[in-house]
Amino acid sequence: MKKIYQILPLVGFFFFVLWLIIEADLNRSNFISEIGHSIPWGDKIGHFSLFGILALLLNTAIRFRQISIFRRKFHLGSVIVFAFAIAEEFTQIAFSTRTFDLLDMLFDLVGIGVLSSVAFRKFLVQSLRSIASSLSRSFLLDKKQTLDKSS
């Protein structure tokens, strides 16, 4: 049941992002795109937020699994989301209503990096607390058993 709660937000948010992409590809306006167009740098903030949150959710769901690329470690979820973002940006070339923009990809990458690092730090802290709690319980049980044997 815990896995479902980890995956459900990811799946829901992924379909939300897909819906936004399809709406943009079909040149349809929606409340999100209207907000993005009404504020300065709204499109870039949208790229930063959407792909950053998507990477955060995927990394959390797969417990920040890492892979090595050119001898450097990266979070697998971040790599997958960035590949998706690049593919999505390049597909815009096929639509007369869309424009390919390298700056959008840069904001995708920065959003993925920033939000994944913040989440990873929180994940590390929670993991270390869990380990410390487990060790202290183990230590207390060992100490109790030692005291019980000596009594």
Side-chain angles (χ1 to χ4, degrees):
M1 196 65 155
K2 186 178 179 182
K3 286 268 189 203
I4 291 173
Y5 290 118
Q6 288 176 331
I7 293 173
L8 196 57
L10 167 65
V11 171
F13 196 76
F14 177 71
F15 282 112
F16 172 69
V17 171
L18 279 180
W19 173 75
L20 287 173
I21 291 168
I22 291 168
E23 289 288 297
D25 289 345
L26 297 174
N27 202 25
R28 292 187 194 155
S29 183
N30 57 60
F31 69 99
I32 300 291
S33 64
E34 288 176 14
I35 291 170
H37 294 302
S38 69
I39 59 175
W41 292 85
D43 176 52
K44 305 309 178 227
I45 293 168
H47 277 269
F48 177 95
S49 304
L50 291 173
F51 288 100
I53 292 169
L54 191 59
L56 181 149
L57 292 171
L58 180 55
N59 280 317
T60 302
I62 62 175
R63 302 191 47 77
F64 292 91
R65 188 173 310 145
Q66 293 185 336
I67 60 169
S68 290
I69 301 174
F70 302 116
R71 297 182 187 166
R72 185 160 159 77
K73 292 203 179 272
F74 294 93
H75 293 121
L76 176 61
S78 297
V79 172
I80 291 169
V81 172
F82 189 57
F84 172 68
I86 289 171
E88 192 280 323
E89 196 64 38
F90 274 98
T91 62
Q92 293 181 22
I93 295 170
F95 295 91
S96 61
T97 57
R98 307 286 309 271
T99 54
F100 173 83
D101 188 354
L102 283 173
L103 199 53
D104 284 349
M105 276 198 284
L106 175 65
F107 275 81
D108 296 341
L109 179 61
V110 172
I112 290 166
V114 168
L115 294 182
S116 291
S117 346
V118 169
F120 183 64
R121 283 178 175 74
K122 182 178 178 186
F123 174 78
L124 278 178
V125 168
Q126 289 173 340
S127 297
L128 290 173
R129 282 184 182 155
S130 175
I131 290 168
S133 175
S134 176
L135 288 173
S136 67
R137 269 187 261 122
S138 175
F139 176 73
L140 290 174
L141 285 175
D142 288 346
K143 191 171 184 175
K144 183 179 184 231
Q145 288 172 353
T146 303
L147 289 174
D148 288 344
K149 286 181 184 177
S150 65
S151 301

